[in-house]
């Protein structure tokens, strides 16, 4: 007698446009802090917000990172991991980034990690939004800082680099 066993895994996402927009209010407050300090322009901050909102709503990224390059210092940043399995129930307050520890002349950039493979229409939109430049996440240990969530969907913010 032969026995066979089949297992299947199913996964559902808690991402909805309304939840993404709620979480992005906190992320955008973080990004606005960078613009307020002069680390990026307010126009770039608004584009990052709009593009991240689109990417998260379409569930095409698993994480993103805000990187801060200060003159004469190692690059540090904030790494955001997307949590869409319903387990994240923590709704922290935005801010607390200690941006005044960075000198004038610090430059901010953003890096995203796309889920692959992506449908052709999503790839075309990514290209149209000019998100095709190669970039890399910062190396080093991540330290959990806080999380932003809405009804089980959200992002976990980690500090990365030598803080």
């Amino acid at each position: 007698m032969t026995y066979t066993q089949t297992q299947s895994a199913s996964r559902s996402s808690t991402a909805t446009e309304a939840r993404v927009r709620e979480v992005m209010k906190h992320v955008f407050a973080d990004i606005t802090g960078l613009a307020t300090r002069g680390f990026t322009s307010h126009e770039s901050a608004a584009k990052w917000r709009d593009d991240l909102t689109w990417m998260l709503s379409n569930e095409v990224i698993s994480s993103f990172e805000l990187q801060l390059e200060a003159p004469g210092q190692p690059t540090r940043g904030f790494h955001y991991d997307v949590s869409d399995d319903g387990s994240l129930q923590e709704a922290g307050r935005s801010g607390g980034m200690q941006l005044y520890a960075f000198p004038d002349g610090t430059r901010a950039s953003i890096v995203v990690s796309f889920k692959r493979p992506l449908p052709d229409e999503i790839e075309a939109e990514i290209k149209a939004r000019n998100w095709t430049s190669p970039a890399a996440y910062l190396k080093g240990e991540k330290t959990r800082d806080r999380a932003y969530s809405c009804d089980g969907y959200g992002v976990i913010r980690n500090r990365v680099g030598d803080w």
Side-chain angles (χ1 to χ4, degrees), residues 13-147:
S13 171
T14 55
T16 65
E17 187 171 345
R19 290 176 181 149
V20 167
R21 291 193 182 285
E22 185 62 32
V23 168
M24 279 302 299
K25 290 177 186 176
H26 298 284
V27 173
F28 188 55
D30 290 349
I31 293 170
T32 299
L34 300 176
T36 300
R37 283 285 288 128
F39 301 162
T40 190
S41 69
H42 286 280
E43 293 79 15
S44 290
K47 181 179 181 341
W48 293 353
R49 176 202 58 215
D50 295 345
D51 289 349
L52 283 172
T53 300
W54 177 83
M55 290 178 211
L56 292 168
S57 293
N58 285 282
E59 300 183 62
V60 300
I61 60 174
S62 55
S63 59
F64 58 96
E65 193 169 272
L66 299 173
Q67 298 180 353
L68 300 167
E69 188 174 349
Q73 297 180 16
T75 304
R76 294 173 274 175
F78 297 93
H79 183 94
Y80 297 76
D81 287 308
V82 177
S83 176
D84 63 359
D85 63 359
S87 64
L88 187 62
Q89 299 296 322
E90 178 183 344
R93 295 174 56 182
S94 54
M97 298 173 78
Q98 301 173 350
L99 296 178
Y100 286 96
F102 291 86
D104 291 344
T106 297
R107 290 282 151 235
S109 59
I110 187 168
V111 178
V112 298
S113 177
F114 291 102
K115 297 176 182 177
R116 300 286 182 190
L118 294 171
D120 291 342
E121 63 273 7
I122 296 291
E123 291 282 3
E125 182 64 23
I126 289 167
K127 186 175 181 181
R129 290 174 181 262
N130 201 25
W131 284 90
T132 56
S133 300
Y137 282 156
L138 297 173
K139 304 284 187 219
E141 189 173 325
K142 294 188 298 187
T143 304
R144 185 181 169 118
D145 186 44
R146 63 189 64 200

